Amino acid sequence: MLYLRDGFFTALAAVFIMTQPAIAKCGLPREVQVLMDDLYASTLNGDSVDVELTMRLRRNSKNIDMADVSSKLFSVGMAHRRDRIDTLLKEAQLIDASGHAMNPNLLREQLKRAERLDAIVCKLEQREKDKNRPPPFPAAKEKRPSMPLTEAAQSLGTTARLVVLLSVTSLMIGLVFLGRFSYLWIHGLVNKRRTCHIPAVVECGLDVIDGYVTVLGRHGCRFQPVNEGAFARLEGLIGSRSAFIVCGSQRILVTLKATHGRSAVALFHSVLSSQAHTKLLERSKVSPKFAPKRSAGVKRIERKARLT
């Protein structure tokens, strides 16, 4: 029922959007906004920046046309604020060269100033559009009076429109189901998510918590403590970015993100190599099985079951 409800409203929203005119994004050029998003992501892991994000920063920096940025700022009388974008480009180049953010806190402040500039440019552009907008009620052209339709013709037209609307809605619902199903399975395949039962411990400072890794992927895992007391201690470590999951000789730095049921979600600071992933699964007490990502609807049902 949850899938049906979400799919129905999503389909109706898509039908509505298809009938509306496209609205152009105001503010700074899209390439600048993409670079701002990537720079903000580079501040989330402290000083370290992964290779994929560094490559995106390099590519997105090259995509920015500063002549276009200057023209945009000049058109709204903000040409003197170009230095804020120049600063972001320099930060992206430093991260590309060094592989880490020099000062994440300072970079976030620079991003906030650039976001305020984006909002101001957008507001000024909208003001100019409002000035040039034609009168709301232009004089209507004289039209020839149309012949009134018979009741039968009107009823037939209404029925045809309802049939078309229901057909489009059914098609959109089917596409939503197919797209969601495909995404969950592709996500599980790409990240090599496997259910397992691997003996492991969580180390955070002097605290050592015994348990098992029950789901393992290349970007993170789920850790289940051995008992209620261990789970209570693990809850107190949620949010820690300096914990380790130790399985045999492998010691992996993780961030303890959240709890689900009696397990904790741990995100790896570095993507697990295929070789390390395979070695960990070899220590599983049960045969590993493919585990596609769970949908939001399944998570809500599980959460409700735990509360009742």
Side-chain angles (χ1 to χ4, degrees):
M1 290 301 292
L2 290 170
Y3 273 126
L4 184 58
R5 184 190 65 187
D6 293 344
F8 178 75
F9 285 112
T10 302
L12 287 183
V15 172
F16 175 78
I17 292 172
M18 289 168 62
T19 63
Q20 304 303 309
I23 300 176
K25 176 71 174 69
C26 64
L28 295 172
R30 179 181 177 277
E31 294 78 5
V32 175
Q33 296 169 356
V34 171
L35 179 65
M36 290 165 60
D37 292 340
D38 287 341
L39 284 172
Y40 180 77
S42 72
T43 68
L44 299 180
N45 291 329
D47 293 337
S48 61
V49 180
D50 61 51
V51 176
E52 180 181 356
L53 181 55
T54 302
M55 293 177 63
R56 286 210 313 268
L57 285 170
R58 181 188 311 160
R59 182 174 61 253
N60 294 333
S61 298
K62 294 179 179 178
N63 290 338
I64 294 177
D65 185 353
M66 289 307 296
D68 188 20
V69 174
S70 297
S71 176
K72 171 80 74 170
L73 293 174
F74 180 80
S75 67
V76 295
M78 299 290 291
H80 60 290
R81 295 302 186 188
R82 169 183 160 146
D83 60 315
R84 296 188 181 182
I85 310 304
D86 289 330
T87 299
L88 296 184
L89 284 173
K90 291 177 182 178
E91 287 292 339
Q93 292 167 359
L94 286 174
I95 293 174
D96 181 26
S98 63
H100 63 274
M102 299 297 182
N103 191 332
N105 292 330
L106 177 59
L107 179 54
R108 279 192 285 268
E109 288 299 321
Q110 293 169 343
L111 287 169
K112 288 180 181 178
R113 289 196 291 270
E115 287 172 356
R116 287 195 292 268
L117 176 61
D118 180 57
I120 293 172
V121 172
C122 185
K123 185 175 181 179
L124 293 174
E125 285 183 326
Q126 190 61 46
R127 186 178 299 172
E128 287 297 321
K129 289 181 181 179
D130 292 340
K131 288 180 182 179
N132 300 325
R133 185 172 297 170
F137 300 103
K141 295 182 179 180
E142 185 178 352
K143 296 182 179 180
R144 294 179 58 187
S146 58
M147 296 297 293
L149 296 175
T150 64
E151 291 185 2
Q154 291 177 349
S155 176
L156 181 60
T158 301
T159 302
R161 286 193 294 271
L162 287 175
V163 170
V164 172
L165 178 60
L166 289 175
S167 299
V168 172
T169 302
S170 300
L171 177 61
M172 295 301 297
I173 291 175
L175 291 175
V176 169
F177 277 114
L178 179 61
R180 184 62 177 169
F181 179 81
S182 300
Y183 164 75
L184 296 175
W185 277 78
I186 291 173
H187 182 277
L189 289 171
V190 171
N191 292 282
K192 295 186 176 181
R193 283 172 55 91
R194 299 291 187 272
T195 58
C196 52
H197 197 71
I198 304 172
V201 298
V202 168
E203 293 183 359
C204 189
L206 299 178
D207 202 358
V208 178
I209 301 173
D210 295 320
Y212 301 90
V213 172
T214 57
V215 178
L216 178 65
R218 295 190 63 194
H219 295 272
C221 68
R222 293 204 177 190
F223 179 82
Q224 180 177 335
V226 291
N227 53 42
E228 294 293 331
F231 179 76
R233 289 159 51 206
L234 184 63
E235 280 188 309
L237 300 178
I238 295 301
S240 172
R241 297 173 52 83
S242 58
F244 291 88
I245 286 186
V246 182
C247 301
S249 61
Q250 297 197 49
R251 184 181 176 87
I252 307 170
L253 181 62
V254 301
T255 294
L256 297 176
K257 190 71 174 176
T259 59
H260 287 281
R262 291 301 174 188
S263 300
V265 176
L267 301 181
F268 302 149
H269 285 206
S270 299
V271 179
L272 205 61
S273 67
S274 297
Q275 183 179 5
H277 183 268
T278 301
K279 286 185 177 181
L280 284 174
L281 289 177
E282 290 175 353
R283 303 179 64 88
S284 177
K285 300 298 183 181
V286 298
S287 178
K289 295 182 179 179
F290 173 64
K293 182 179 180 181
R294 293 179 301 170
S295 68
V298 173
K299 292 180 180 178
R300 286 196 295 269
I301 292 173
E302 292 179 349
R303 185 159 53 247
K304 183 177 180 182
R306 291 197 299 270
L307 292 175
T308 55

